[in-house]
Amino acid sequence: MEVVIAAPEELSALAANTIESLLATNPEAVLGLATGSSPLGIYDELARRYAEGHVSFERARAFTLDEYVGLAADHPERYGNVIEKEFASRVDFAPGALRGPDGLATDVLAACARYEAAIVESGGVDLQIVGIGSDGHVGFNEPGSSLASRTRIKTLTEQTRLDNARFFGGDLDQVPRHCLTQGLATIMSARHVVLIATGRAKAEAIHQLVEGPVSAMWPATVLQHHPHVSVLVDRDAAGLLKLADYFHSTYAAKPEWQGL
Ligand code: F6R
């Protein structure tokens, strides 16, 4: 697990560099995309580079991590619509190249199984972007999630609903109670996981992720078992890391060509 502590713009640029290099070597790469506020800087940076002709998504495919259950197809906070607005519509994905779990499926079990199968059929995710919840969730794998879980329906915690109420005009009642989310084992199947987090509210979750024991109580800790994880955090999110000095010096001494 590599931990990079830097300013938010630098973190977004680092992640964008990694995605640009991946697509340069493999234009058909499969990306895993997260919603929420943490990856927005990465999407802005990639959209800018696309506009300048440095990167293309024409042959790439992408899978989103999760989706609220029951939000109308045209609801602005439906994650499929959010990712379309924040990223896909600003670059050149081919029609149908971006998929997400079907939060309006009548047969939820079948929809989740189909989603897992689609990821496998694509050859698997090459690079998965994830954020982290203040309660340590990745995707919407809330505390208590099986570390071996696959795509399924989950109930959001009160904390997550409170955290996300800001996207629903601050009205907690508007925040859905359920979601479909890739499981922790699904996320662990990605070949490279890039986690980005900023702000003090994430500091405890980042401390647990990097330095805590692996536990379903802090689901992101399962990533300690992944061979290639890049944790990109600003100073605030890194605020509780005991090993912060070590991570600073390691990154400062890293040759630029090495990438994440
Ligand atoms: C979103 C997702 C969530 C968020 C997390 C952090 O697709 O899977 O795990 O990444 O809730 O959200 P932000 O980035 O808004 O703080």
Side-chain angles (χ1 to χ4, degrees):
M1 182 177 281
E2 178 180 24
V3 180
V4 178
I5 305 170
E9 318 75 62
E10 196 181 331
L11 302 176
S12 295
L14 267 177
N17 291 348
T18 309
I19 293 168
E20 188 180 326
S21 312
L22 171 65
L23 289 168
T25 51
N26 177 13
E28 295 179 359
V30 180
L31 303 176
L33 303 177
T35 39
S37 44
S38 305
L40 292 180
I42 303 175
Y43 300 147
D44 285 346
E45 183 61 21
L46 287 170
R48 189 182 65 73
R49 294 181 191 200
Y50 164 70
E52 289 176 0
H54 300 304
V55 64
S56 169
F57 298 83
E58 204 177 0
R59 291 162 61 196
R61 283 149 303 155
F63 291 90
T64 54
L65 272 178
D66 39 25
E67 183 58 271
Y68 290 119
V69 167
L71 284 190
D74 61 352
H75 194 292
E77 291 308 324
R78 192 180 144 260
Y79 277 172
N81 296 334
V82 172
I83 205 76
E84 184 64 29
K85 173 167 168 265
E86 301 292 356
F87 185 42
S89 64
R90 302 163 70 194
V91 297
D92 60 343
F93 281 112
L98 173 62
R99 295 183 62 167
D102 181 2
L104 289 170
T106 40
D107 186 342
V108 167
L109 285 181
C112 292
R114 268 200 310 276
Y115 198 58
E116 282 285 327
I119 294 173
V120 171
E121 277 158 25
S122 76
V125 171
D126 292 295
L127 186 147
Q128 175 69 58
I129 299 170
V130 292
I132 187 168
S134 58
D135 63 1
H137 68 224
V138 282
F140 275 137
N141 295 283
E142 299 285 28
S145 288
S146 161
L147 302 185
S149 49
R150 293 280 170 183
T151 303
R152 68 211 183 291
I153 188 165
K154 283 295 287 183
T155 302
L156 297 171
T157 61
E158 191 71 359
Q159 181 64 56
T160 297
R161 293 182 64 241
L162 283 168
D163 286 347
N164 287 5
R166 69 190 193 282
F167 296 117
F168 293 82
D171 184 353
L172 186 61
D173 289 339
Q174 299 302 312
V175 185
R177 291 176 188 279
H178 297 99
C179 62
L180 302 188
T181 180
Q182 286 188 28
L184 292 168
T186 321
I187 294 167
M188 288 288 284
S189 304
R191 287 180 268 279
H192 182 189
V193 178
V194 176
L195 184 145
I196 183 158
T198 56
R200 209 158 297 164
K202 303 291 174 71
E204 177 65 19
I206 292 297
H207 162 59
Q208 293 291 338
L209 159 66
V210 178
E211 300 172 337
V214 174
S215 160
M217 282 305 287
W218 292 93
T221 58
V222 72
L223 294 173
Q224 290 180 23
H225 284 297
H226 194 288
H228 192 183
V229 178
S230 308
V231 177
L232 310 181
V233 283
D234 71 352
R235 281 182 184 277
D236 286 340
L240 296 176
L241 286 178
K242 295 186 174 63
L243 297 174
D245 288 347
Y246 170 72
F247 295 133
H248 274 300
S249 60
T250 310
Y251 184 60
K254 186 176 172 179
E256 210 167 293
W257 51 263
Q258 208 168 311
L260 291 176

